[in-house]
Amino acid sequence: MAAQTGLAAAPAFMSRSDVPAFPQVALSAEAAPFTPLGTDGWQLGSSSDAERQFSRCAAKLRALRADSGQLREELNLLFDQLLSENYNTSFDPNINIRPEDVCSLLKHASCLVPLSQEHLVIKLCQLVHHLLNQLKVIMDEQTLDVLLNYTARALKVCSTWTHSGVLLALSTIVYGNGPQCHQHLIDLLGEDGVLLLYSSPSQPDMELRRVALTCMANICLRIPGQPPLDDQYRSVCFRAFLKTLHSPKPSNTDQLFYCMVIQAALKGLQCCLSGGKWKFGGGEELGSVLAALKRLMFQGTPGVSVEWPAVLYPAPLPQYEGLKSAQTPKPTEPPTDSAVPGKVSGNKKRKSRGKGKKTVSEESRGDDGEEDDGEVVPASQKVGGRERGRGDGESLSKASTPSLYPAWKQNTSDSEFSDPEGTAQSKLRLNHGRVRQGALHCLLAVVKGVEKRTLYGYWSSFIPDSPIGGTPPLTLLTIILKDPSPKVRACALQVLSAMLDGSRQFLAVAEDTASPRTSYTPFSFSLATAIRELHRALSLALLAETSPQTLTQVIKCLAYLVANAPYHRLRPGLLSPLWKQMRPYMRHRDVNVRVSVLTLYGALVTTQAPLPEVQLLLRQPESSGSGGSFTPQDSALSWRQRDGSTPSQRSSQTHSPHILRTPGEEDNSSPWLMQLCVSLVTQPREDPSDSEGAGTGGAALEPSPVRLEALQVMSHLVRGYICLVQTYLCEIGQVSARCLGEMDPSIQLHGAKLLEELGTGIIQQYRAENNVPESSRVPVSQVVQFWSEVLSGPLNAALQNEQHPTLQTSACDTLSSILPQAFAQLPEKTQLMCITMLLGLTYSENYLVKTAAVRALGVYILFPCLREDVMFVADTANTILAALDDRSPNVRAKAAWSLGNLTDTLIVNMESVGVDFQEELSDMLLLKMLQAATRASADKDKVKCNAVRALGNLLHFLRQSQMTRSAFQRPLEDAVRALVKTVQSVATMKVRWNACYALGNAFRNPALPLDSAPWSADAFSALCNVVTSCKNFKVRIKSAAALAVPGHRGCYGDTERFICVWRSLAKALENSEDTNDFLEYRYSASLRHTLSQALLHLLKLSQSQDMPALAASLAGEEGKGIKERLIKYLRAEEGGEGAEGERDTGGDSFNPQQRINSLQQTLIRLKGLKAEGEGQTQQESGKEVVVSFMDDVLKTCEEP
């Protein structure tokens, strides 16, 4: 129960006219407490004096009794003495007053001060605020209850003039304790609650309104670890805050006081919105909040004279209606809420922003923060865009044009700092800035709390979506470019970053590669325009910004934009200017700026990699195109400038990072960005005089954050553009080895991850599906040399570094990224070292290390040079089986994955080596694997999905001689029943998909007794049920493929089971388009393909006893649908032969003629069938129907 105040509250009885010789300071959370000064200016007393004074006063207070004759005078004196001391630990950290002593003092004092002595009540309330706020006391429940009762009674009994002081104390008492105040909330926040009464817009006393709102904000404040305030009271407070924000300023109210009231309401709204999802109603409430926040984002901004709407309405989003372009949405709000557009003149002059020299007034937008916020508005670049209603057509008024000029274009005499009433004006500017900042903080909470999909409809109110040329709307970009406060600009950038974060799916619709239609603007084009406007405005902000903290936010915002925008669907040219514009900032004196620049470069080489535009930029020599990289702020950017240097000299120093060249940079053998990152990681800085003061002397390296980010960029380059950096293979290895050899664990970790990315990139080159020409791959011999050097270097030490398990984990991942072809050519002792190290690390006590080691063994078991080694397979199997019993679910999940890979290897060896390998592998080991996989199939889903995969492989691998052994029979039945149970379960679709695949895999084993086993009927029944009823089409596809696996008619059992399978497949084919989920519908063609193949497979295996039932199916309506689908399948008319089915069932070719030939052979076989047993007449008539059906299908297929 923290007792602090988040918002200041000045006592109401202090009149603004009663100004003494020295300025009176209101007692508040932000104001420094009164401290007596000696004649020499030094503070009187010390921390020990403060503690002794508190103890002395507390003792005297405890000795007082309510019936004392001098009680009033003594209390007055003691309160004054206690209030005169400064107990703030930031003032003196040695002050040590126990919280229980403070609580005891306040409880006793509240018993001594009667409510009839109102001046003493006020002093006690001041003391409560003073002690609890400065000493950060966490009250016990009894103290909280006593003080709440006292202040609540004071509000009921005492005169109105005391209420602001009482509410000040109450705001401190309830700070973060809202849920614990439930007994008093009905009196405070009920229908006629005192806080609602005093916070109402009809309350004439602005100080009472402010302090009441402060109390409500502190009640809503949630301390981490504590339960939130009840939704009922939170909603009451929310409505009160929103009502305050929408209420106009009373005509007789001072602007400064009004700003303070709005700040309190904004802080309260932020407390309501923070830490959870939006719970305050639907679109109308959200639109009302956004409208109020958008208006307050521009509070006190010169030149803004518009009629603000009361509600913002969302635009329709056509991308959620089928991903089709739609007409630009029209305003949906009433005409009375529409904005009143204005005009902006002097655009020609403002185009030269950043071209002129800095003047004195430009310094007002420097690094000093809000304290020097001026009325002038620099950064006057246009933020273009046409009006789209919903309040985003607000514009700057014509009369205020001069104030929109850049600060350096104004004369010094025009500055607000020359005003004789500068103090009052600066306070008003400061509070206007705080209102804007508070509004943006609230907007940030809204962005984080409202569902992304809902918020997308309001984007056009905060981000322009039309090109420059019209009246510029008031958006976040207006604030970023023109607000005089760097803190406000930084807040706007944080909001924009939060909106862009995670917006990839929304922005993916954007496209402007084709010319837009003249009749209407497609939504995709509007979205692409918004992306271009963001690029343009943020690039301007980059040029104009002088505050390092805000500059960092600009670059981070650009990184979010780059990471989410679909540049492959946009016209090229957006990234090239940004790429070159960022280069000079790599020499900024602020470390955070340099780190953010590297983060942006990382985003550039990550987005949709490999992107052609980025490939061209990477291939360009480092010195090309850098002439346009000079910015007007280079005098502030460059930390390398020397005293006495001229502007032209400074300009020459900022074209490109020549100082960061590596020795071999001139040969252009690798991307300049890679060379830059290598130099940042390895080379000492020539002038380490940056903001972090990195080291001393000329040998100081870049600060650790810069080096870490450079290593990240190198990893991104290797991942996305391996073809461009592969010639730098040895250098990358040397950088990684150097990093692994350093003492900083973070540097070591990033060095290991760089190696892993490089290994993974090489492996991707050699994957057949990637179709990388052999001439473009890294030669195997070079890969072997690379890994030989790496494995003989400091990587071994990292693998054995038990003090840093995260580093060990990354080193294990590095070992698993060796190219299999290269591993086979490594020296035998090196191979043995890798295997031994991984087997040993599976016994690590750290679950992260164990997980990585088990996973690496699961990779190695697939290596062709190791998979036929029975001893290695056995060692790996025993290690994996031990890991499957680990208490960590992550270890078990990776062990199940590795077991799945190991059993994949068994199948490959069975097909390539044959019976010899099966006989060499221990029966007991196979039995252990079967039992372990069966147990794992009942584990968590992430374990189960690979456990069932392993079961399918093991059931496929077992030989006839093993299945007939009594030791195998019960585990065999348990394994199949586990698969059946998983198929029928409510597990995730991936688990059920794998279980269906596993049953199909098991059916491939000809030794499996499908015709006689008691579990066979359950297996077919489960698959038939899933293929007709499962909502997930991929699960249906796998179940249909499994039903088509058995290669003999006997595997399907009697006629009843065979026809059950047939009818299930036929029903599934009939319903193959029945789905409400668009994501599933895209698999419907593949499903029909697999079902058609499965039906033809059953016809191919059918016998005479099956003919009557097949004829009954084919002769009715069901047969017409089957015929239509089979014809499309045979002609290959449907797309999506995607062929989940053919690949899994070993089906015929995709060639239509081959499919028809196979059906003709089936027809010939059926014509030769002889009726057997009972019902021969029915069999013959049924055969005629089936043969006639197939003849019709073939004739139709042969027609042109």
Side-chain angles (χ1 to χ4, degrees), residues 130-163:
H130 186 63
L131 292 177
L132 296 182
N133 184 47
Q134 288 200 354
L135 291 171
K136 306 294 187 286
V137 174
I138 298 178
M139 294 179 290
D140 55 74
E141 291 185 12
Q142 183 184 6
T143 305
L144 176 65
D145 191 55
V146 168
L147 295 180
L148 277 173
N149 280 320
Y150 186 84
T151 51
R153 284 188 291 115
L155 289 171
K156 293 179 180 179
V157 175
C158 295
S159 303
T160 306
W161 73 269
T162 66
H163 286 187

mmCIF file of all heavy atoms in Angstrom, residues 130-163:
data_model
loop_
_atom_site.group_PDB
_atom_site.id
_atom_site.type_symbol
_atom_site.label_atom_id
_atom_site.label_comp_id
_atom_site.label_asym_id
_atom_site.label_seq_id
_atom_site.Cartn_x
_atom_site.Cartn_y
_atom_site.Cartn_z
ATOM 1 N N HIS A 130 3.116 15.329 3.488
ATOM 2 C CA HIS A 130 4.555 15.601 3.571
ATOM 3 C C HIS A 130 5.335 14.338 3.923
ATOM 4 O O HIS A 130 6.323 13.989 3.262
ATOM 5 C CB HIS A 130 4.777 16.686 4.629
ATOM 6 C CG HIS A 130 6.187 17.175 4.715
ATOM 7 N ND1 HIS A 130 6.822 17.819 3.691
ATOM 8 C CD2 HIS A 130 7.097 17.100 5.730
ATOM 9 C CE1 HIS A 130 8.055 18.137 4.046
ATOM 10 N NE2 HIS A 130 8.249 17.704 5.291
ATOM 11 N N LEU A 131 4.886 13.625 4.960
ATOM 12 C CA LEU A 131 5.641 12.448 5.423
ATOM 13 C C LEU A 131 5.483 11.260 4.479
ATOM 14 O O LEU A 131 6.467 10.617 4.110
ATOM 15 C CB LEU A 131 5.179 12.073 6.833
ATOM 16 C CG LEU A 131 5.530 13.061 7.949
ATOM 17 C CD1 LEU A 131 4.947 12.599 9.273
ATOM 18 C CD2 LEU A 131 7.042 13.224 8.063
ATOM 19 N N LEU A 132 4.249 10.960 4.114
ATOM 20 C CA LEU A 132 4.032 9.779 3.261
ATOM 21 C C LEU A 132 4.672 9.950 1.893
ATOM 22 O O LEU A 132 5.208 9.001 1.321
ATOM 23 C CB LEU A 132 2.532 9.516 3.105
ATOM 24 C CG LEU A 132 1.762 9.148 4.369
ATOM 25 C CD1 LEU A 132 0.297 8.866 4.031
ATOM 26 C CD2 LEU A 132 2.374 7.952 5.067
ATOM 27 N N ASN A 133 4.639 11.175 1.359
ATOM 28 C CA ASN A 133 5.167 11.409 0.024
ATOM 29 C C ASN A 133 6.688 11.411 0.025
ATOM 30 O O ASN A 133 7.324 10.801 -0.829
ATOM 31 C CB ASN A 133 4.623 12.725 -0.512
ATOM 32 C CG ASN A 133 5.055 12.980 -1.941
ATOM 33 O OD1 ASN A 133 4.956 12.100 -2.777
ATOM 34 N ND2 ASN A 133 5.544 14.166 -2.209
ATOM 35 N N GLN A 134 7.299 12.089 1.000
ATOM 36 C CA GLN A 134 8.755 12.205 0.985
ATOM 37 C C GLN A 134 9.439 10.927 1.442
ATOM 38 O O GLN A 134 10.494 10.563 0.920
ATOM 39 C CB GLN A 134 9.194 13.378 1.870
ATOM 40 C CG GLN A 134 8.880 14.735 1.268
ATOM 41 C CD GLN A 134 9.703 15.845 1.870
ATOM 42 O OE1 GLN A 134 10.440 15.637 2.827
ATOM 43 N NE2 GLN A 134 9.595 17.033 1.308
ATOM 44 N N LEU A 135 8.871 10.234 2.423
ATOM 45 C CA LEU A 135 9.505 9.024 2.937
ATOM 46 C C LEU A 135 9.047 7.769 2.187
ATOM 47 O O LEU A 135 9.529 6.680 2.489
ATOM 48 C CB LEU A 135 9.195 8.874 4.427
ATOM 49 C CG LEU A 135 9.866 9.915 5.331
ATOM 50 C CD1 LEU A 135 9.327 9.812 6.745
ATOM 51 C CD2 LEU A 135 11.378 9.741 5.318
ATOM 52 N N LYS A 136 8.138 7.916 1.216
ATOM 53 C CA LYS A 136 7.646 6.781 0.417
ATOM 54 C C LYS A 136 7.200 5.634 1.322
ATOM 55 O O LYS A 136 7.616 4.479 1.172
ATOM 56 C CB LYS A 136 8.728 6.297 -0.559
ATOM 57 C CG LYS A 136 9.294 7.378 -1.457
ATOM 58 C CD LYS A 136 8.250 7.898 -2.411
ATOM 59 C CE LYS A 136 8.838 8.861 -3.429
ATOM 60 N NZ LYS A 136 9.164 10.170 -2.862
ATOM 61 N N VAL A 137 6.375 5.975 2.293
ATOM 62 C CA VAL A 137 5.960 5.007 3.308
ATOM 63 C C VAL A 137 4.907 4.060 2.741
ATOM 64 O O VAL A 137 3.958 4.500 2.080
ATOM 65 C CB VAL A 137 5.395 5.730 4.547
ATOM 66 C CG1 VAL A 137 4.828 4.727 5.551
ATOM 67 C CG2 VAL A 137 6.478 6.568 5.197
ATOM 68 N N ILE A 138 5.083 2.782 2.986
ATOM 69 C CA ILE A 138 4.065 1.783 2.658
ATOM 70 C C ILE A 138 3.285 1.510 3.930
ATOM 71 O O ILE A 138 3.807 0.960 4.897
ATOM 72 C CB ILE A 138 4.705 0.490 2.119
ATOM 73 C CG1 ILE A 138 5.469 0.786 0.827
ATOM 74 C CG2 ILE A 138 3.646 -0.575 1.885
ATOM 75 C CD1 ILE A 138 6.184 -0.415 0.249
ATOM 76 N N MET A 139 2.036 1.933 3.949
ATOM 77 C CA MET A 139 1.230 1.856 5.164
ATOM 78 C C MET A 139 0.701 0.453 5.387
ATOM 79 O O MET A 139 0.430 -0.292 4.442
ATOM 80 C CB MET A 139 0.048 2.824 5.058
ATOM 81 C CG MET A 139 0.416 4.282 5.021
ATOM 82 S SD MET A 139 -1.053 5.318 4.860
ATOM 83 C CE MET A 139 -1.527 4.944 3.171
ATOM 84 N N ASP A 140 0.544 0.119 6.666
ATOM 85 C CA ASP A 140 -0.153 -1.117 6.999
ATOM 86 C C ASP A 140 -1.656 -0.870 6.884
ATOM 87 O O ASP A 140 -2.129 0.266 6.773
ATOM 88 C CB ASP A 140 0.215 -1.579 8.405
ATOM 89 C CG ASP A 140 -0.037 -0.505 9.448
ATOM 90 O OD1 ASP A 140 -1.218 -0.276 9.770
ATOM 91 O OD2 ASP A 140 0.941 0.122 9.920
ATOM 92 N N GLU A 141 -2.423 -1.944 6.926
ATOM 93 C CA GLU A 141 -3.864 -1.833 6.698
ATOM 94 C C GLU A 141 -4.545 -0.990 7.766
ATOM 95 O O GLU A 141 -5.478 -0.233 7.471
ATOM 96 C CB GLU A 141 -4.489 -3.237 6.655
ATOM 97 C CG GLU A 141 -4.077 -4.043 5.430
ATOM 98 C CD GLU A 141 -4.810 -5.367 5.352
ATOM 99 O OE1 GLU A 141 -5.782 -5.532 6.116
ATOM 100 O OE2 GLU A 141 -4.417 -6.210 4.539
ATOM 101 N N GLN A 142 -4.085 -1.110 9.015
ATOM 102 C CA GLN A 142 -4.718 -0.352 10.085
ATOM 103 C C GLN A 142 -4.518 1.153 9.881
ATOM 104 O O GLN A 142 -5.464 1.938 10.013
ATOM 105 C CB GLN A 142 -4.152 -0.778 11.435
ATOM 106 C CG GLN A 142 -4.827 -0.087 12.615
ATOM 107 C CD GLN A 142 -4.187 -0.448 13.935
ATOM 108 O OE1 GLN A 142 -3.165 -1.128 13.970
ATOM 109 N NE2 GLN A 142 -4.796 -0.010 15.037
ATOM 110 N N THR A 143 -3.295 1.558 9.547
ATOM 111 C CA THR A 143 -3.025 2.974 9.305
ATOM 112 C C THR A 143 -3.840 3.483 8.125
ATOM 113 O O THR A 143 -4.411 4.586 8.168
ATOM 114 C CB THR A 143 -1.532 3.200 9.046
ATOM 115 O OG1 THR A 143 -0.777 2.664 10.139
ATOM 116 C CG2 THR A 143 -1.207 4.666 8.885
ATOM 117 N N LEU A 144 -3.886 2.700 7.067
ATOM 118 C CA LEU A 144 -4.677 3.090 5.902
ATOM 119 C C LEU A 144 -6.131 3.304 6.290
ATOM 120 O O LEU A 144 -6.754 4.310 5.909
ATOM 121 C CB LEU A 144 -4.560 2.012 4.816
ATOM 122 C CG LEU A 144 -5.411 2.217 3.562
ATOM 123 C CD1 LEU A 144 -4.969 3.452 2.807
ATOM 124 C CD2 LEU A 144 -5.343 0.992 2.653
ATOM 125 N N ASP A 145 -6.683 2.391 7.083
ATOM 126 C CA ASP A 145 -8.081 2.501 7.468
ATOM 127 C C ASP A 145 -8.323 3.714 8.363
ATOM 128 O O ASP A 145 -9.308 4.453 8.190
ATOM 129 C CB ASP A 145 -8.507 1.219 8.192
ATOM 130 C CG ASP A 145 -10.007 1.141 8.386
ATOM 131 O OD1 ASP A 145 -10.731 1.250 7.384
ATOM 132 O OD2 ASP A 145 -10.445 1.000 9.545
ATOM 133 N N VAL A 146 -7.399 3.971 9.320
ATOM 134 C CA VAL A 146 -7.562 5.105 10.222
ATOM 135 C C VAL A 146 -7.528 6.420 9.451
ATOM 136 O O VAL A 146 -8.382 7.308 9.645
ATOM 137 C CB VAL A 146 -6.457 5.077 11.312
ATOM 138 C CG1 VAL A 146 -6.431 6.402 12.088
ATOM 139 C CG2 VAL A 146 -6.687 3.920 12.266
ATOM 140 N N LEU A 147 -6.546 6.576 8.570
ATOM 141 C CA LEU A 147 -6.410 7.833 7.827
ATOM 142 C C LEU A 147 -7.547 8.026 6.834
ATOM 143 O O LEU A 147 -8.003 9.151 6.602
ATOM 144 C CB LEU A 147 -5.052 7.872 7.118
ATOM 145 C CG LEU A 147 -3.825 7.900 8.037
ATOM 146 C CD1 LEU A 147 -2.541 7.950 7.214
ATOM 147 C CD2 LEU A 147 -3.877 9.077 8.997
ATOM 148 N N LEU A 148 -8.001 6.930 6.208
ATOM 149 C CA LEU A 148 -9.137 7.044 5.298
ATOM 150 C C LEU A 148 -10.388 7.483 6.041
ATOM 151 O O LEU A 148 -11.136 8.356 5.580
ATOM 152 C CB LEU A 148 -9.381 5.700 4.595
ATOM 153 C CG LEU A 148 -8.530 5.391 3.372
ATOM 154 C CD1 LEU A 148 -8.780 3.964 2.908
ATOM 155 C CD2 LEU A 148 -8.827 6.366 2.241
ATOM 156 N N ASN A 149 -10.614 6.883 7.200
ATOM 157 C CA ASN A 149 -11.789 7.265 7.992
ATOM 158 C C ASN A 149 -11.712 8.732 8.402
ATOM 159 O O ASN A 149 -12.718 9.461 8.354
ATOM 160 C CB ASN A 149 -11.893 6.381 9.246
ATOM 161 C CG ASN A 149 -12.510 5.034 8.934
ATOM 162 O OD1 ASN A 149 -13.459 4.939 8.161
ATOM 163 N ND2 ASN A 149 -11.969 3.966 9.516
ATOM 164 N N TYR A 150 -10.525 9.180 8.800
ATOM 165 C CA TYR A 150 -10.371 10.549 9.259
ATOM 166 C C TYR A 150 -10.641 11.552 8.135
ATOM 167 O O TYR A 150 -11.405 12.513 8.294
ATOM 168 C CB TYR A 150 -8.964 10.751 9.817
ATOM 169 C CG TYR A 150 -8.759 12.105 10.457
ATOM 170 C CD1 TYR A 150 -9.123 12.341 11.770
ATOM 171 C CD2 TYR A 150 -8.205 13.160 9.731
ATOM 172 C CE1 TYR A 150 -8.952 13.588 12.366
ATOM 173 C CE2 TYR A 150 -8.041 14.410 10.306
ATOM 174 C CZ TYR A 150 -8.406 14.617 11.619
ATOM 175 O OH TYR A 150 -8.233 15.850 12.184
ATOM 176 N N THR A 151 -10.002 11.330 6.982
ATOM 177 C CA THR A 151 -10.197 12.267 5.861
ATOM 178 C C THR A 151 -11.618 12.203 5.324
ATOM 179 O O THR A 151 -12.182 13.232 4.917
ATOM 180 C CB THR A 151 -9.197 11.947 4.731
ATOM 181 O OG1 THR A 151 -9.266 10.544 4.413
ATOM 182 C CG2 THR A 151 -7.775 12.287 5.150
ATOM 183 N N ALA A 152 -12.222 10.999 5.331
ATOM 184 C CA ALA A 152 -13.607 10.893 4.857
ATOM 185 C C ALA A 152 -14.547 11.668 5.775
ATOM 186 O O ALA A 152 -15.459 12.376 5.309
ATOM 187 C CB ALA A 152 -14.021 9.429 4.779
ATOM 188 N N ARG A 153 -14.336 11.582 7.090
ATOM 189 C CA ARG A 153 -15.174 12.334 8.021
ATOM 190 C C ARG A 153 -14.910 13.835 7.904
ATOM 191 O O ARG A 153 -15.828 14.648 8.031
ATOM 192 C CB ARG A 153 -14.916 11.857 9.458
ATOM 193 C CG ARG A 153 -15.576 10.509 9.763
ATOM 194 C CD ARG A 153 -15.493 10.134 11.232
ATOM 195 N NE ARG A 153 -14.121 9.839 11.625
ATOM 196 C CZ ARG A 153 -13.419 10.558 12.497
ATOM 197 N NH1 ARG A 153 -13.969 11.646 13.044
ATOM 198 N NH2 ARG A 153 -12.184 10.226 12.815
ATOM 199 N N ALA A 154 -13.652 14.205 7.651
ATOM 200 C CA ALA A 154 -13.335 15.619 7.491
ATOM 201 C C ALA A 154 -14.060 16.213 6.295
ATOM 202 O O ALA A 154 -14.526 17.367 6.331
ATOM 203 C CB ALA A 154 -11.822 15.789 7.337
ATOM 204 N N LEU A 155 -14.169 15.463 5.231
ATOM 205 C CA LEU A 155 -14.871 15.961 4.059
ATOM 206 C C LEU A 155 -16.357 16.156 4.333
ATOM 207 O O LEU A 155 -17.016 16.993 3.692
ATOM 208 C CB LEU A 155 -14.679 14.992 2.883
ATOM 209 C CG LEU A 155 -13.279 14.952 2.256
ATOM 210 C CD1 LEU A 155 -13.175 13.798 1.273
ATOM 211 C CD2 LEU A 155 -12.952 16.267 1.576
ATOM 212 N N LYS A 156 -16.899 15.386 5.275
ATOM 213 C CA LYS A 156 -18.320 15.513 5.592
ATOM 214 C C LYS A 156 -18.581 16.611 6.610
ATOM 215 O O LYS A 156 -19.622 17.272 6.558
ATOM 216 C CB LYS A 156 -18.843 14.176 6.138
ATOM 217 C CG LYS A 156 -18.865 13.054 5.132
ATOM 218 C CD LYS A 156 -19.370 11.771 5.765
ATOM 219 C CE LYS A 156 -19.388 10.619 4.757
ATOM 220 N NZ LYS A 156 -19.853 9.343 5.375
ATOM 221 N N VAL A 157 -17.638 16.822 7.549
ATOM 222 C CA VAL A 157 -17.872 17.707 8.685
ATOM 223 C C VAL A 157 -17.280 19.093 8.477
ATOM 224 O O VAL A 157 -17.910 20.107 8.797
ATOM 225 C CB VAL A 157 -17.307 17.072 9.980
ATOM 226 C CG1 VAL A 157 -17.419 18.028 11.164
ATOM 227 C CG2 VAL A 157 -18.021 15.764 10.271
ATOM 228 N N CYS A 158 -16.072 19.157 7.944
ATOM 229 C CA CYS A 158 -15.346 20.422 7.874
ATOM 230 C C CYS A 158 -15.909 21.337 6.790
ATOM 231 O O CYS A 158 -16.603 20.887 5.858
ATOM 232 C CB CYS A 158 -13.865 20.179 7.625
ATOM 233 S SG CYS A 158 -13.055 19.307 8.993
ATOM 234 N N SER A 159 -15.543 22.602 6.899
ATOM 235 C CA SER A 159 -15.991 23.590 5.927
ATOM 236 C C SER A 159 -15.382 23.337 4.557
ATOM 237 O O SER A 159 -14.339 22.693 4.425
ATOM 238 C CB SER A 159 -15.593 24.996 6.407
ATOM 239 O OG SER A 159 -16.127 25.258 7.691
ATOM 240 N N THR A 160 -16.032 23.895 3.534
ATOM 241 C CA THR A 160 -15.580 23.653 2.161
ATOM 242 C C THR A 160 -14.179 24.174 1.916
ATOM 243 O O THR A 160 -13.424 23.590 1.130
ATOM 244 C CB THR A 160 -16.562 24.317 1.177
ATOM 245 O OG1 THR A 160 -17.877 23.848 1.463
ATOM 246 C CG2 THR A 160 -16.215 23.969 -0.255
ATOM 247 N N TRP A 161 -13.798 25.265 2.606
ATOM 248 C CA TRP A 161 -12.476 25.840 2.335
ATOM 249 C C TRP A 161 -11.342 24.895 2.709
ATOM 250 O O TRP A 161 -10.220 25.046 2.237
ATOM 251 C CB TRP A 161 -12.323 27.174 3.062
ATOM 252 C CG TRP A 161 -12.150 27.051 4.563
ATOM 253 C CD1 TRP A 161 -13.133 27.063 5.499
ATOM 254 C CD2 TRP A 161 -10.911 26.916 5.272
ATOM 255 N NE1 TRP A 161 -12.614 26.934 6.760
ATOM 256 C CE2 TRP A 161 -11.234 26.849 6.647
ATOM 257 C CE3 TRP A 161 -9.577 26.848 4.897
ATOM 258 C CZ2 TRP A 161 -10.281 26.709 7.643
ATOM 259 C CZ3 TRP A 161 -8.608 26.715 5.881
ATOM 260 C CH2 TRP A 161 -8.956 26.643 7.246
ATOM 261 N N THR A 162 -11.620 23.908 3.560
ATOM 262 C CA THR A 162 -10.578 22.944 3.965
ATOM 263 C C THR A 162 -10.474 21.770 3.013
ATOM 264 O O THR A 162 -9.523 20.997 3.089
ATOM 265 C CB THR A 162 -10.892 22.393 5.363
ATOM 266 O OG1 THR A 162 -12.104 21.604 5.308
ATOM 267 C CG2 THR A 162 -11.066 23.512 6.373
ATOM 268 N N HIS A 163 -11.440 21.613 2.123
ATOM 269 C CA HIS A 163 -11.524 20.351 1.372
ATOM 270 C C HIS A 163 -10.361 20.132 0.409
ATOM 271 O O HIS A 163 -9.982 18.988 0.155
ATOM 272 C CB HIS A 163 -12.859 20.284 0.626
ATOM 273 C CG HIS A 163 -14.009 20.003 1.539
ATOM 274 N ND1 HIS A 163 -15.289 19.764 1.091
ATOM 275 C CD2 HIS A 163 -14.091 19.933 2.900
ATOM 276 C CE1 HIS A 163 -16.101 19.562 2.114
ATOM 277 N NE2 HIS A 163 -15.385 19.664 3.225
#
